[in-house]
Amino acid sequence: MNATNRRQFLGLLGAAGFSAAVPSSAFGLYAAPVQESFTFLFYTDAHLQPELNGLVGTDMAFKKGRTIKADFAINGGDHVFDALGVPKQRALQLFDLYDKTEQDLGLKLYHTVGNHDVCGVYPASGMAEDDPLYGKKLFEQRFGKTYYSFDHKGYHFVVLDSVGITNDRSYEGRVDAEQLKWLAGDLAGVPAGTPIVVVAHIPLVTAYLAYMPEMPVPPPHHSLSVANANEVLALLDGHNVIGVLQGHTHVNETVTWKGVPYVTCGAVCGNWWHGTHLGTPEGFTVVTLAGGKMTTRYETYGFKSVAPQNT
């Protein structure tokens, strides 16, 4: 049984609640695959929109990516701005524009759902909850599953859905119970020692609140990081996680916890197409995996805001 089929088999067992029947000692019988070095691109928070030259800027970022030798790219979420609170026709227009613009990257691109990619959740959108595109359904129609995993050159990638829709038609950072069960099963099928890279839009670990300006009114929901991150981290503990890539806060930040770098990456749109956000300009991240380790560097692409409001 190869590694992929074994992981799918054990994932099914885990999802059915039978993973405990497989002795943990059995996992060690499967050697980790041999790793090959490679580079990929991490784009997050494009917030593509026709206003403020957001469409032009996203296209510039993708064209800059074409000049870098990379095996593929991952979009860390918030592809568009904004699907949460606009009429359905506007959301469809934005997704159509994104689809066309992505072609200029010229690479296989994996997608992560961001909070602004969730359709019609705010009541201001006028969309009914039973609309066939409501919530994450439009994202799934365009890009596929909101959480999944894949393997590349001996490395295992886990892409999480960290956006929880609340009962009052808003959002929070949360990985739901069904996804946690899936994650346990997926990780159970990864051969011991395999290097793992995790991707989440809303950060699992961040120091953002420590240096952002104090909010005069506390937000109604836990929206800047994942509220139940402790449950996710408990599942990752004991596996060879070499790095976590995150977005959402539009800053460059690395927090190392228990030896794992949690890398929050700057936004393609910077300060929502208004310049720099807390010192981080518009850009994307180049990620290199070599020798079972992850390194990153940030690339700007020459965008100049037409309405700068640098922070």
Side-chain angles (χ1 to χ4, degrees), residues 26-256:
F27 300 157
L29 297 177
Y30 296 85
V34 176
Q35 291 91 48
E36 300 177 46
S37 301
F38 67 96
T39 292
F40 67 94
L41 308 178
F42 185 69
Y43 288 92
T44 191
D45 295 271
H47 289 261
L48 182 145
Q49 60 180 31
E51 298 80 15
L52 297 172
N53 281 345
L55 178 61
V56 172
T58 305
D59 187 57
M60 289 174 63
F62 284 155
K63 286 179 176 175
K64 175 69 178 288
R66 289 184 79 110
T67 68
I68 300 169
K69 181 175 173 55
D71 283 18
F72 58 84
I74 297 176
N75 190 315
D78 282 358
H79 299 60
V80 301
F81 189 72
D82 164 81
L84 273 170
V86 299
K88 180 165 66 174
Q89 194 55 43
R90 166 71 174 188
L92 289 170
Q93 176 196 24
L94 291 172
F95 272 81
D96 287 344
L97 288 172
Y98 176 84
D99 287 341
K100 292 176 182 177
T101 307
E102 183 184 286
Q103 305 310 308
D104 282 336
L105 178 59
L107 281 176
K108 164 68 178 176
L109 204 153
Y110 296 92
H111 298 274
T112 312
V113 64
N115 50 293
H116 289 286
D117 301 322
V118 179
C119 188
V121 169
Y122 289 170
S125 70
M127 187 178 291
E129 293 182 61
D130 61 357
D131 190 289
L133 295 180
Y134 178 81
K136 298 173 185 177
K137 294 172 186 174
L138 175 57
F139 179 92
E140 291 174 317
Q141 182 190 87
R142 297 299 180 99
F143 303 124
K145 295 179 180 179
T146 62
Y147 58 90
Y148 55 95
S149 64
F150 65 95
D151 298 293
H152 188 77
K153 293 185 175 178
Y155 292 81
H156 185 64
F157 290 79
V158 176
V159 178
L160 297 176
D161 174 354
S162 59
V163 182
I165 299 175
T166 61
N167 292 332
D168 61 348
R169 293 190 63 164
S170 187
Y171 76 90
E172 65 177 354
R174 184 168 297 277
V175 175
D176 64 25
E178 181 180 345
Q179 187 178 174
L180 289 171
K181 192 179 220 180
W182 168 84
L183 179 59
D186 182 79
L187 293 172
V190 177
T194 301
I196 299 170
V197 176
V198 178
V199 177
H201 176 68
I202 299 177
L204 294 170
V205 175
T206 177
Y208 185 68
L209 283 171
Y211 51 79
M212 72 170 292
E214 184 176 2
M215 290 180 282
V217 178
H221 297 288
H222 194 111
S223 60
L224 290 176
S225 63
V226 174
N228 66 327
N230 62 312
E231 295 182 272
V232 181
L233 300 179
L235 292 176
L236 298 178
D237 196 28
H239 296 276
N240 186 23
V241 178
I242 62 170
V244 178
L245 296 171
Q246 311 172 135
H248 191 53
T249 61
H250 298 211
V251 297
N252 273 322
E253 169 199 84
T254 300
V255 177
T256 302

